[in-house]
Amino acid sequence: MNSTPPGPTTFGQLPPSSWPGERLGLPRTGSHSVGRVGRRIGALVIDWAIAVALTCVLFGYTLLNYDGFVVLAIFVLLQALQLAVFGWSAGHRLVGLRLITITGGRVGLWRPVVRSLLLGLAVPALVWDSDQRGFHDKIAGTVLIRR
């Protein structure tokens, strides 16, 4: 009789990855590897700056005096639209990232909408797993990879 316990039966029981994306079948580095923190933050800063600028143009605010909730709404809307249409936002494109499903396909419409709404809450983006996927990516079944 074999006394070895059975292996993990669900994704939540898998051991941590040796590198981000290992459990997803992604390479350690280079093209198609998981987008690292620096690139993700760079993309976020670029996308937020675009949302601020667009808010100022559309609503007559100044760069020093604008409504943060309006900027957040514009940011979430831009994220959802760009990710659904292109698979990347302007910030992602500039830093060399794109969004795919964990199975490698196109993201469609619902995934970017759910992901963007959760990203607007900020907390899901601060909770990561060993694959460097935020809670918003886990719920949407997506991963940001290098182009």
Side-chain angles (χ1 to χ4, degrees):
M1 185 174 231
N2 189 357
S3 64
T4 305
T9 57
T10 65
F11 192 74
Q13 293 175 320
L14 292 175
S17 301
S18 297
W19 69 84
E22 177 188 25
R23 295 185 300 179
L24 303 173
L26 299 173
R28 183 183 300 253
T29 60
S31 181
H32 296 97
S33 65
V34 170
R36 301 303 198 272
V37 176
R39 287 177 190 260
R40 294 170 73 109
I41 291 172
L44 180 66
V45 168
I46 292 166
D47 289 336
W48 189 262
I50 291 169
V52 168
L54 193 54
T55 299
C56 290
V57 168
L58 293 176
F59 298 100
Y61 293 117
T62 67
L63 290 176
L64 298 176
N65 184 21
Y66 57 83
D67 186 337
F69 289 110
V70 175
V71 173
L72 180 61
I74 296 287
F75 173 81
V76 168
L77 181 65
L78 285 174
Q79 286 288 303
L81 288 173
Q82 292 175 94
L83 292 173
V85 173
F86 305 116
W88 41 260
S89 68
H92 294 150
R93 181 75 174 178
L94 290 172
V95 299
L97 297 173
R98 71 182 169 104
L99 188 72
I100 61 169
T101 66
I102 57 171
T103 58
R106 290 192 48 86
V107 294
L109 179 62
W110 76 268
R111 292 175 197 277
V113 170
V114 168
R115 183 184 188 276
S116 299
L117 288 171
L118 289 172
L119 184 60
L121 296 175
V123 174
L126 300 176
V127 180
W128 292 5
D129 65 8
S130 64
D131 290 316
Q132 292 188 357
R133 291 175 57 223
F135 188 65
H136 60 298
D137 277 322
K138 292 180 76 69
I139 294 295
T142 57
V143 61
L144 267 175
I145 63 168
R146 292 180 60 185
R147 291 185 301 127

